């Protein structure tokens, strides 16, 4: 209901994603799904219906990332300023969690190696995590249902994991994600926009760190394997081809699969989500869960390698897209979610 109300009230007032040469949707689509999600979560938290165990600071950072996304959805902020603002928002959270880790004496690993127990090591890693994961959510949010579906997978992994990492208090989050997913896939009645992708990315970066780290010291990398590998691939392709990191292109994993599947976005989304779900089984109480997670991670690595070879070495022009329209035409060129043309 909130999505429909916002679509009718805000959509015609600058919150509409219009078709352009880089997008496949033929009709204008309201870009208000993320704003609806952010408002719903904050109201559920204020009324006591949502219990995720987050502190006031953590909720403030999630809200801050969401507000940054709202500004970008409405005014199409420059990529470098949006990245800098996201970094500034992540600083207090990284600082607080660095102090918590030092006080707890908890061991942390990265790719199987123990990380030195020192603030000068924890702080930059946490900064990278709390800045990078929201940006990664924003970057994978390029097909209908992809970011929302991945969020549902994460929530399921955190709910099913050992120790009941998330309980009944996450029900409002489940409801919001499923409702938005049904309105976004396979046909989009709304787009999430940066408000949704940045807020969800920040929320799950915190939940994974708070809930998964005590259970498995390296579980966060298995849960976030898909967005981490996707962003790594994109950065590697752009650096190899000498393109600016902030310049949009078609070098994501979903772009490559979209080309191979003949533009059938409705099919690419479940295929990618299926691959993304496999590494998440790492600590689930299932037979052969670790083997499944390892095979899934390997499949994602092979896919990322193939995309790099095709987009950076064999056919680099296939990743190129024309530059955006002039910035005064921001209604035609939002930086939030959309299904790009194949």
């Amino acid at each position: 209901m909130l999505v429909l109300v916002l679509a009718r009230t805000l959509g015609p007032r600058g919150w509409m994603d219009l078709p352009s040469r880089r997008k496949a949707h033929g009709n204008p689509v309201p870009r208000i799904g993320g704003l609806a999600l952010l408002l719903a979560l904050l109201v559920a938290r204020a009324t006591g219906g949502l219990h995720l165990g987050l502190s006031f600071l953590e909720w403030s950072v999630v809200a801050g990332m969401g507000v940054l996304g709202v500004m970008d959805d409405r005014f199409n902020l420059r990529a470098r300023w949006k990245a800098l603002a996201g970094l500034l928002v992540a600083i207090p959270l990284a600082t607080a969690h660095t102090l918590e880790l030092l006080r707890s004496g908890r061991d942390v690993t990265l790719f199987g190696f123990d990380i030195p127990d020192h603030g000068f090591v924890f702080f930059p890693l946490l900064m990278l995590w709390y800045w990078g994961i929201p940006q990664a959510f924003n970057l994978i949010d390029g097909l209908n249902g992809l970011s929302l579906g991945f969020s549902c997978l994460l929530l399921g992994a955190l709910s099913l994991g050992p120790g009941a990492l998330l309980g009944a208090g996450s029900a409002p989050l489940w409801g919001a994600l499923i409702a938005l997913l049904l309105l976004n896939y396979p046909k989009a009645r709304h787009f999430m926009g940066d408000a949704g992708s940045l807020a969800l990315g920040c929320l799950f970066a915190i939940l994974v760190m708070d809930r998964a780290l005590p259970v498995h010291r390296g579980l966060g990398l298995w849960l976030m394997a898909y967005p981490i590998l996707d962003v790594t691939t994109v950065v590697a392709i752009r650096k190899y081809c000498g393109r600016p990191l902030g310049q949009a292109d078609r070098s994501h994993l979903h772009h490559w699969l979209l080309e191979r599947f003949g533009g059938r976005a409705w099919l690419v989304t479940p295929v990618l989500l299926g691959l993304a779900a496999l590494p998440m089984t790492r600590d689930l109480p299932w037979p052969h869960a670790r083997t499944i997670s390892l095979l899934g991670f390997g499949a994602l690595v092979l896919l990322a390698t193939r995309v790099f070879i095709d987009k950076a070495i064999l056919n680099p022009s296939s990743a190129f897209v024309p530059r955006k329209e002039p910035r005064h035409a921001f209604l035609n060129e939002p930086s939030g979610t959309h299904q790009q043309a194949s």
Side-chain angles (χ1 to χ4, degrees):
M1 180 63 70
L2 182 58
V3 172
L4 299 179
V5 171
L6 292 178
R8 287 181 175 273
T9 57
L10 296 183
R13 293 175 172 81
W15 298 81
M16 196 71 75
D17 194 320
L18 304 182
S20 75
R21 58 189 175 185
R22 292 179 57 233
K23 304 165 193 175
H25 58 278
N27 299 309
V29 179
R31 197 170 58 254
I32 44 75
L35 178 60
L37 173 67
L38 184 63
L39 292 175
L41 293 183
L42 293 178
V43 169
R45 172 66 179 85
T47 57
L50 182 62
H51 302 283
L52 298 177
L54 272 64
S55 66
F56 177 79
L57 172 62
E58 291 169 334
W59 274 114
S60 298
V61 173
V62 172
M65 282 292 188
V67 170
L68 174 62
V70 169
M71 297 295 292
D72 189 38
D73 288 335
R74 183 59 180 86
F75 300 111
N76 193 25
L77 305 176
R78 292 186 181 275
R80 65 174 66 91
W81 296 116
K82 183 173 64 174
L84 178 59
L87 193 65
L88 293 176
V89 172
I91 286 177
L93 187 58
T95 302
H97 284 189
T98 295
L99 296 175
E100 288 181 12
L101 281 175
L102 293 175
R103 285 195 297 265
S104 68
R106 186 183 302 152
D107 293 328
V108 183
T109 63
L110 185 64
F111 302 114
F113 297 98
D114 289 331
I115 297 176
D117 188 11
H118 199 288
F120 288 109
V121 177
F122 284 156
F123 179 76
L125 289 175
L126 288 171
M127 274 291 298
L128 181 61
W129 178 264
Y130 289 126
W131 173 79
I133 294 299
Q135 304 300 324
F137 265 68
N138 187 33
L139 290 174
I140 69 170
D141 200 10
L143 290 180
N144 294 343
L146 189 54
S147 182
L148 283 166
F150 183 74
S151 298
C152 289
L153 291 177
L154 275 175
L155 190 56
L158 291 172
S159 301
L160 295 173
L165 301 179
L166 289 176
S170 63
L173 179 56
W174 273 113
L177 290 176
I178 292 174
L180 289 174
L181 181 59
L182 292 176
L183 292 173
N184 184 251
Y185 177 84
K187 181 180 179 180
R189 295 172 176 82
H190 73 89
F191 287 151
M192 284 285 288
D194 283 16
S197 59
L198 290 177
L200 279 177
C202 185
L203 176 63
F204 279 105
I206 295 171
L207 287 176
V208 167
M209 189 61 61
D210 283 353
R211 298 291 181 270
L213 186 61
V215 176
H216 186 296
R217 296 183 301 166
L219 186 56
L221 293 177
W222 293 93
L223 294 176
M224 296 291 188
Y226 164 53
I228 290 174
L229 285 171
D230 183 81
V231 171
T232 302
T233 304
V234 170
V235 171
I237 291 172
R238 292 177 185 176
K239 291 292 290 183
Y240 185 89
C241 296
R243 290 195 295 266
L245 295 181
Q247 180 181 341
D249 59 20
R250 298 184 53 78
S251 55
H252 290 278
L253 304 187
H254 60 262
H255 290 141
W256 188 87
L257 286 175
L258 195 61
E259 295 167 2
R260 298 304 180 278
F261 282 57
R264 297 180 181 86
W266 60 269
L267 185 56
V268 174
T269 294
V271 168
L272 262 180
L273 291 179
L275 288 174
L278 295 178
M280 295 183 184
T281 64
R282 184 69 178 179
D283 268 16
L284 294 183
W286 298 348
H288 313 296
R290 296 204 166 203
T291 301
I292 293 172
S293 68
L294 185 60
L295 291 175
F297 185 82
L300 284 173
V301 171
L302 289 176
L303 174 60
T305 303
R306 178 61 188 276
V307 172
F308 177 83
I309 293 173
D310 280 0
K311 296 288 187 178
I313 300 174
L314 298 180
N315 190 18
S317 61
S318 66
F320 175 77
V321 294
R323 286 190 176 273
K324 296 180 179 181
E325 288 87 352
R327 298 195 63 78
H328 63 269
F330 63 85
L331 291 182
N332 293 328
E333 195 61 50
S335 58
T337 63
H338 53 267
Q339 178 184 317
Q340 300 185 354
S342 60

